[in-house]
Amino acid sequence: RVALACALFVNPDILLLDEPTNHLDFPAVIWLQKYLVGYEKTLLVVSHDRHFLNYVTTDIIHLYNRNLNYYKGNYDTFAVVRAEQRLAQQRAYEASEAKRKHMQEFIDKFRFNAKRASLVQSRIKALARMEKVAEVEDEAALRFELPQVVKVEGNMVALDNVDFAYDQRKGYILRNVSVCVHAESRVGVLGANGAGKTTLIKLLMGSLEPLTGRAIRNRTVRVSCFNQHHVDQLDLDATPLDFLKTKFSKATTDQLRSHLSRYGIGSSLHEQLIGNLSGGQQSRVAFALVTYRQPHLMVMDEPTNHLDIETIDALVNAIKKWNGAVLFVSHDQYFLEQVGKDFWGVTDGRVKQFRTFKDAKSFSYAR
């Protein structure tokens, strides 16, 4: 927030923002959106937040195959126009190839027919003059494959009428909290920065213990955590394969290679240093790490921070196909709406459960 405030304060002629919504809660994002819409100078922003891009941008620059392609409109308009362009190009390619094939068949059939020699020569010249239409490149979607698990009966973790404070003299962080996570859960946690979301997660996971009330944890449940600082879990001087070998020494090389491939880490990347991989590729290695032991419950703290749009889509699709439980804290509205089935709103020491993102958002950011 301080870095962002400094950039805005100088009122530059060209404002460059790289993932500005990372680490901001909803009220801060909304304020930033309104500020940037009224910004009268040039803004260039890199972001994975679709809602933010739709609200703020008037043009999209798409970097693809080392070329910059320009589109008028916001992100949704870009997505529609680009899909239409690709469809039109594919149809033009197919029509061109059909015409080429027809002309070539005529040439081959009558090449040695003296009566049709002039027609054949005309077709040969016309074929040579035809402009080549490029085929649309197949954009293979990035895919994750989370390991399926045996379902656990009953609650995995729960809090029963819990109170918690780091220092009671300064007041309680959470009061009278009763929540639970079961095998079918897809719970999104909302709340302003400092509301107590991380404290709530730590109480559920056992990193903290309640002052009053009960924390109930099923000891047979395997839990994995993925947080916004996931790169800190990695050894940047090791290769993905060697790194996993240090963590799972009993696994075979083939098993580890297969597991990395589940997360879009192809064989050509297995032997490259993690520090030389892109941010998205490093995130996939982190996912490979936290899912290797086949967790029943994935706990994620701002998982979309530092992920690109393709990786976010891959994660969303993987979770939808997975049979484990998910508990996640996020300010990414797209991710919350796509993944969450239930929502916990955290504000003023209270935790309230909701069935819709809209209601949870209204409760969590009412002030």
Side-chain angles (χ1 to χ4, degrees):
R1 287 195 181 195
V2 173
L4 182 59
C6 291
L8 300 180
F9 179 76
V10 297
N11 195 30
D13 294 321
I14 301 177
L15 177 60
L16 308 178
L17 298 179
D18 186 4
E19 299 292 357
T21 62
N22 282 0
H23 312 297
L24 298 184
D25 55 18
F26 276 121
V29 172
I30 291 170
W31 180 90
L32 180 61
Q33 287 177 170
K34 291 180 179 178
Y35 179 88
L36 293 177
V37 166
Y39 194 69
E40 297 180 351
K41 299 178 182 179
T42 302
L43 167 69
L44 181 62
V45 58
V46 176
S47 178
H48 67 263
D49 189 326
R50 292 167 170 83
H51 288 269
F52 180 78
L53 290 172
N54 280 333
Y55 197 96
V56 170
T57 60
T58 60
D59 301 82
I60 298 291
I61 303 174
H62 183 222
L63 174 60
Y64 182 70
N65 276 353
R66 294 178 292 180
N67 290 314
L68 295 177
N69 302 291
Y70 296 80
Y71 298 82
K72 297 294 293 183
N74 61 15
Y75 179 83
D76 283 348
T77 301
F78 151 74
V80 170
V81 171
R82 184 163 187 265
E84 291 173 346
Q85 288 177 342
R86 288 173 58 80
L87 179 60
Q89 182 181 343
Q90 184 62 25
R91 287 173 174 171
Y93 168 79
E94 291 171 356
S96 175
E97 290 302 299
K99 186 175 181 179
R100 282 177 173 277
K101 182 180 179 181
H102 179 73
M103 294 174 68
Q104 189 63 52
E105 286 174 348
F106 182 90
I107 293 169
D108 294 342
K109 183 176 182 179
F110 298 109
R111 184 182 296 275
F112 303 107
N113 187 321
K115 294 181 179 180
R116 308 233 176 160
S118 61
L119 292 175
V120 169
Q121 289 301 313
S122 175
R123 295 292 198 283
I124 291 174
K125 292 178 181 179
L127 189 59
R129 289 194 300 268
M130 277 188 67
E131 184 176 347
K132 183 71 174 178
V133 178
E135 184 177 9
V136 174
E137 294 184 17
D138 181 24
E139 292 185 322
L142 175 64
R143 291 181 177 85
F144 283 2
E145 186 181 344
L146 297 174
Q148 302 298 316
V149 295
V150 177
K151 288 289 184 70
V152 175
E153 297 298 327
N155 291 334
M156 293 183 171
V157 291
L159 300 179
D160 181 22
N161 201 29
V162 163
D163 292 341
F164 181 80
Y166 291 101
D167 184 345
Q168 294 186 58
R169 294 171 299 179
K170 297 181 179 180
Y172 285 86
I173 303 297
L174 297 171
R175 294 296 304 265
N176 303 318
V177 176
S178 295
V179 293
C180 67
V181 177
H182 54 79
E184 306 293 332
S185 291
R186 294 284 194 278
V187 180
V189 183
L190 288 76
N193 289 341
K197 303 184 300 297
T198 300
T199 299
L200 175 64
I201 298 298
K202 288 181 177 180
L203 286 165
L204 285 164
M205 295 299 100
S207 300
L208 296 173
E209 293 297 334
L211 294 180
T212 61
R214 295 189 303 154
I216 306 159
R217 307 177 187 101
N218 186 334
R219 299 302 178 184
T220 67
V221 171
R222 294 187 298 274
V223 180
S224 286
C225 298
F226 182 89
N227 62 50
Q228 56 189 310
H229 307 295
H230 52 267
V231 174
D232 294 342
Q233 305 175 65
L234 307 178
D235 180 356
L236 302 184
D237 294 322
T239 68
L241 185 60
D242 288 340
F243 176 67
L244 290 190
K245 283 181 179 179
T246 64
K247 299 295 183 180
F248 312 109
S249 57
K250 294 182 179 180
T252 67
T253 297
D254 287 344
Q255 287 173 333
L256 295 177
R257 287 187 182 277
S258 176
H259 187 67
L260 284 168
S261 297
R262 287 172 177 253
Y263 296 90
I265 304 296
S267 57
S268 63
L269 300 177
H270 293 177
E271 306 293 344
Q272 292 190 28
L273 294 181
I274 294 175
N276 293 336
L277 301 180
S278 70
Q281 291 166 342
Q282 291 177 354
S283 298
R284 294 175 224 160
V285 175
F287 274 114
L289 170 67
V290 300
T291 61
Y292 187 79
R293 298 196 187 279
Q294 299 181 317
H296 299 99
L297 169 62
M298 283 278 291
V299 178
M300 299 185 287
D301 184 7
E302 298 292 357
T304 62
N305 280 4
H306 313 297
L307 300 188
D308 55 31
I309 287 177
E310 291 76 17
T311 305
I312 292 172
D313 285 338
L315 179 58
V316 166
N317 291 330
I319 291 173
K320 287 181 176 180
K321 296 175 183 178
W322 190 45
N323 67 344
V326 179
L327 173 65
F328 64 99
V329 175
S330 181
H331 293 121
D332 187 319
Q333 185 168 326
Y334 174 81
F335 189 79
L336 282 160
E337 291 176 330
Q338 290 294 312
V339 173
K341 293 182 180 178
D342 297 283
F343 303 91
W344 298 349
V346 183
T347 187
D348 294 330
R350 297 176 295 157
V351 180
K352 189 173 180 180
Q353 302 178 59
F354 298 90
R355 294 294 296 173
T356 69
F357 167 72
K358 182 179 179 180
D359 290 341
K361 182 180 176 182
S362 297
F363 171 81
S364 303
Y365 309 103
R367 291 187 300 175

